[in-house]
PDB file of all heavy atoms in Angstrom:
ATOM      1  N   GLU A1368     117.534 197.609 224.484  1.00  0.00           N
ATOM      2  CA  GLU A1368     116.353 197.754 223.633  1.00  0.00           C
ATOM      3  C   GLU A1368     116.234 196.657 222.581  1.00  0.00           C
ATOM      4  O   GLU A1368     115.577 196.833 221.552  1.00  0.00           O
ATOM      5  CB  GLU A1368     116.322 199.149 222.971  1.00  0.00           C
ATOM      6  CG  GLU A1368     116.243 200.282 223.983  1.00  0.00           C
ATOM      7  CD  GLU A1368     116.204 201.657 223.342  1.00  0.00           C
ATOM      8  OE1 GLU A1368     116.611 201.776 222.159  1.00  0.00           O
ATOM      9  OE2 GLU A1368     115.774 202.605 223.996  1.00  0.00           O
ATOM     10  N   TRP A1369     116.850 195.513 222.839  1.00  0.00           N
ATOM     11  CA  TRP A1369     116.698 194.343 221.964  1.00  0.00           C
ATOM     12  C   TRP A1369     115.741 193.358 222.630  1.00  0.00           C
ATOM     13  O   TRP A1369     115.835 193.101 223.849  1.00  0.00           O
ATOM     14  CB  TRP A1369     118.039 193.671 221.714  1.00  0.00           C
ATOM     15  CG  TRP A1369     118.911 194.390 220.740  1.00  0.00           C
ATOM     16  CD1 TRP A1369     119.745 195.439 221.001  1.00  0.00           C
ATOM     17  CD2 TRP A1369     119.036 194.118 219.344  1.00  0.00           C
ATOM     18  NE1 TRP A1369     120.381 195.837 219.850  1.00  0.00           N
ATOM     19  CE2 TRP A1369     119.967 195.038 218.814  1.00  0.00           C
ATOM     20  CE3 TRP A1369     118.453 193.181 218.486  1.00  0.00           C
ATOM     21  CZ2 TRP A1369     120.334 195.056 217.471  1.00  0.00           C
ATOM     22  CZ3 TRP A1369     118.820 193.190 217.145  1.00  0.00           C
ATOM     23  CH2 TRP A1369     119.746 194.116 216.641  1.00  0.00           C
ATOM     24  N   PHE A1370     114.826 192.796 221.824  1.00  0.00           N
ATOM     25  CA  PHE A1370     113.825 191.882 222.348  1.00  0.00           C
ATOM     26  C   PHE A1370     113.633 190.704 221.397  1.00  0.00           C
ATOM     27  O   PHE A1370     113.706 190.868 220.177  1.00  0.00           O
ATOM     28  CB  PHE A1370     112.485 192.600 222.531  1.00  0.00           C
ATOM     29  CG  PHE A1370     112.532 193.775 223.461  1.00  0.00           C
ATOM     30  CD1 PHE A1370     112.862 195.041 222.996  1.00  0.00           C
ATOM     31  CD2 PHE A1370     112.276 193.619 224.815  1.00  0.00           C
ATOM     32  CE1 PHE A1370     112.917 196.127 223.847  1.00  0.00           C
ATOM     33  CE2 PHE A1370     112.328 194.704 225.683  1.00  0.00           C
ATOM     34  CZ  PHE A1370     112.651 195.963 225.206  1.00  0.00           C
ATOM     35  N   ASN A1371     113.393 189.522 221.955  1.00  0.00           N
ATOM     36  CA  ASN A1371     113.056 188.350 221.152  1.00  0.00           C
ATOM     37  C   ASN A1371     111.576 188.426 220.797  1.00  0.00           C
ATOM     38  O   ASN A1371     110.716 188.247 221.659  1.00  0.00           O
ATOM     39  CB  ASN A1371     113.347 187.064 221.935  1.00  0.00           C
ATOM     40  CG  ASN A1371     114.805 186.687 221.891  1.00  0.00           C
ATOM     41  OD1 ASN A1371     115.428 186.708 220.833  1.00  0.00           O
ATOM     42  ND2 ASN A1371     115.371 186.343 223.040  1.00  0.00           N
ATOM     43  N   VAL A1372     111.279 188.706 219.537  1.00  0.00           N
ATOM     44  CA  VAL A1372     109.889 188.882 219.131  1.00  0.00           C
ATOM     45  C   VAL A1372     109.625 188.198 217.793  1.00  0.00           C
ATOM     46  O   VAL A1372     110.542 187.938 217.016  1.00  0.00           O
ATOM     47  CB  VAL A1372     109.525 190.380 219.006  1.00  0.00           C
ATOM     48  CG1 VAL A1372     109.632 191.082 220.343  1.00  0.00           C
ATOM     49  CG2 VAL A1372     110.397 191.069 217.973  1.00  0.00           C
ATOM     50  N   SER A1373     108.362 187.926 217.558  1.00  0.00           N
ATOM     51  CA  SER A1373     107.911 187.438 216.253  1.00  0.00           C
ATOM     52  C   SER A1373     107.064 188.531 215.619  1.00  0.00           C
ATOM     53  O   SER A1373     106.600 189.456 216.299  1.00  0.00           O
ATOM     54  CB  SER A1373     107.072 186.167 216.413  1.00  0.00           C
ATOM     55  OG  SER A1373     105.861 186.450 217.097  1.00  0.00           O
ATOM     56  N   ILE A1374     106.836 188.428 214.323  1.00  0.00           N
ATOM     57  CA  ILE A1374     106.002 189.412 213.642  1.00  0.00           C
ATOM     58  C   ILE A1374     104.587 189.389 214.199  1.00  0.00           C
ATOM     59  O   ILE A1374     103.965 190.432 214.415  1.00  0.00           O
ATOM     60  CB  ILE A1374     106.003 189.151 212.127  1.00  0.00           C
ATOM     61  CG1 ILE A1374     107.409 189.399 211.558  1.00  0.00           C
ATOM     62  CG2 ILE A1374     104.981 190.041 211.426  1.00  0.00           C
ATOM     63  CD1 ILE A1374     107.546 189.095 210.083  1.00  0.00           C
ATOM     64  N   LYS A1375     104.061 188.190 214.459  1.00  0.00           N
ATOM     65  CA  LYS A1375     102.720 188.080 215.023  1.00  0.00           C
ATOM     66  C   LYS A1375     102.633 188.768 216.381  1.00  0.00           C
ATOM     67  O   LYS A1375     101.654 189.460 216.687  1.00  0.00           O
ATOM     68  CB  LYS A1375     102.318 186.611 215.167  1.00  0.00           C
ATOM     69  CG  LYS A1375     100.908 186.430 215.728  1.00  0.00           C
ATOM     70  CD  LYS A1375     100.545 184.976 215.891  1.00  0.00           C
ATOM     71  CE  LYS A1375      99.111 184.810 216.387  1.00  0.00           C
ATOM     72  NZ  LYS A1375      98.837 185.545 217.634  1.00  0.00           N
TER      73      LYS A1375
END
Side-chain angles (χ1 to χ4, degrees):
E1368 298 180 340
W1369 284 84
F1370 301 88
N1371 279 314
V1372 297
S1373 66
I1374 294 177
K1375 181 181 183 305

